[in-house]
Amino acid sequence: MKKLNMDAWRKMFYEKIEEVKPQDSWDLKMHQNLEYNDLGPGWKRSLQEHVCASFQCSWCQHFWSSVQVVILFHVYLDQRRRTGWVKMRVYRQECYECSEGKLEEPNFKEESVQRVLENLVISIREKCYGEYVAQLSEVTVIEQHYGPHRSDHCEACWLGIHQRPKHTMYHGRPKDTVYHGTSKDTMPPVQLPSHNLPQDTISCGFEFCCIFCTICILIFIYSTWAVGY
């Protein structure tokens, strides 16, 4: 996979931000020492945690891919000068096949970079311009990926920045959709316990009432006849 350099990232970013904010000038720079909580006055944080990328160990040449690459952005807009700045840090992963423990830079496909920058522009519009934009989209998984995320080999996990998703992450093509929970449209009908009496019990009760009423009428007639005599 051809590695996209920072110039390629900038070019795509400039195109996307100019589409929505042509009146302002924005710049994007890589800062690999960028600290998560080191925000200056007026700076805003944007974090994307599930980006698709691949890695290759520079020592043993082992190749692996991940859908949980983390990218941190700090953004700032000077509204008076109509100029904005973006600082970017891409968190690395280390090889788990050898003992060298060297952190490797991820390689991104252009499709993943496009989606990351689309989400970045949305975040800028919300955080710097106060606009309401539709929810950020997940970066599409476009390759096969095997195995769980190895947090012990992830730089972002070491720093406590990467939060594992609560939902199940599929690696590769999902076979079937699994629903955790049930909507009212798909929920099977629940059989409630019946409080109705059995049919035999109802019939017996009706017959008893008829007999009781007949006896009462006979007693009433007999009492009336006895009083008359």
Side-chain angles (χ1 to χ4, degrees):
M1 179 190 303
K2 182 180 178 181
K3 186 172 183 178
L4 296 175
N5 58 28
M6 199 59 209
D7 289 338
W9 280 75
R10 285 196 192 93
K11 182 177 182 296
M12 287 185 276
F13 171 68
Y14 294 156
E15 292 173 354
K16 293 183 182 299
I17 194 67
E18 191 174 357
E19 288 179 2
V20 294
K21 297 298 174 185
Q23 72 278 15
D24 295 338
S25 174
W26 279 86
D27 192 21
L28 172 67
K29 290 184 178 180
M30 179 71 74
H31 287 257
Q32 275 306 113
N33 294 323
L34 189 65
E35 297 291 337
Y36 181 81
N37 289 318
D38 188 15
L39 286 169
W43 285 81
K44 309 292 183 182
R45 181 192 306 114
S46 178
L47 187 70
Q48 297 189 42
E49 297 187 71
H50 308 298
V51 183
C52 175
S54 62
F55 299 83
Q56 186 166 17
C57 179
S58 56
W59 179 259
C60 71
Q61 305 305 311
H62 172 65
F63 178 90
W64 73 97
S65 55
S66 173
V67 294
Q68 298 198 51
V69 178
V70 180
I71 303 179
L72 172 66
F73 298 99
H74 285 181
V75 298
Y76 176 79
L77 172 64
D78 186 333
Q79 295 185 350
R80 183 177 60 85
R81 297 168 57 187
R82 306 201 70 85
T83 304
W85 294 270
V86 179
K87 298 177 182 179
M88 168 183 170
R89 177 177 179 178
V90 178
Y91 290 93
R92 300 164 293 176
Q93 296 182 13
E94 69 173 4
C95 178
Y96 51 85
E97 290 291 334
C98 68
S99 58
E100 286 303 304
K102 182 180 183 300
L103 287 166
E104 304 292 348
E105 301 283 348
N107 295 321
F108 300 94
K109 284 190 174 182
E110 184 175 344
E111 182 178 345
S112 291
V113 174
Q114 293 280 3
R115 187 66 61 84
V116 168
L117 294 176
E118 287 172 5
N119 288 340
L120 171 62
V121 170
I122 290 174
S123 184
I124 288 173
R125 293 173 63 186
E126 291 182 336
K127 296 176 183 294
C128 297
Y129 294 94
E131 300 177 4
Y132 173 78
V133 189
Q135 184 179 2
L136 302 186
S137 58
E138 289 285 342
V139 175
T140 305
V141 180
I142 54 178
E143 303 178 357
Q144 278 197 329
H145 303 274
Y146 301 95
H149 178 59
R150 297 176 181 266
S151 57
D152 53 333
H153 295 275
C154 172
E155 184 181 22
C157 290
W158 296 349
L159 298 173
I161 295 171
H162 183 34
Q163 302 295 323
R164 295 300 304 280
K166 295 181 180 180
H167 61 275
T168 301
M169 176 64 71
Y170 290 101
H171 298 278
R173 182 180 179 182
K175 296 179 180 179
D176 295 300
T177 303
V178 179
Y179 296 96
H180 300 281
T182 310
S183 69
K184 67 178 183 179
D185 294 331
T186 58
M187 184 180 296
V190 178
Q191 184 66 39
L192 298 175
S194 175
H195 297 288
N196 296 329
L197 294 174
Q199 188 66 32
D200 292 343
T201 303
I202 296 175
S203 299
C204 292
F206 178 76
E207 292 176 359
F208 176 79
C209 289
C210 292
I211 295 172
F212 180 78
C213 290
T214 302
I215 293 173
C216 289
I217 293 172
L218 292 174
I219 292 174
F220 176 77
I221 295 173
Y222 177 79
S223 299
T224 305
W225 178 80
V227 170
Y229 283 91

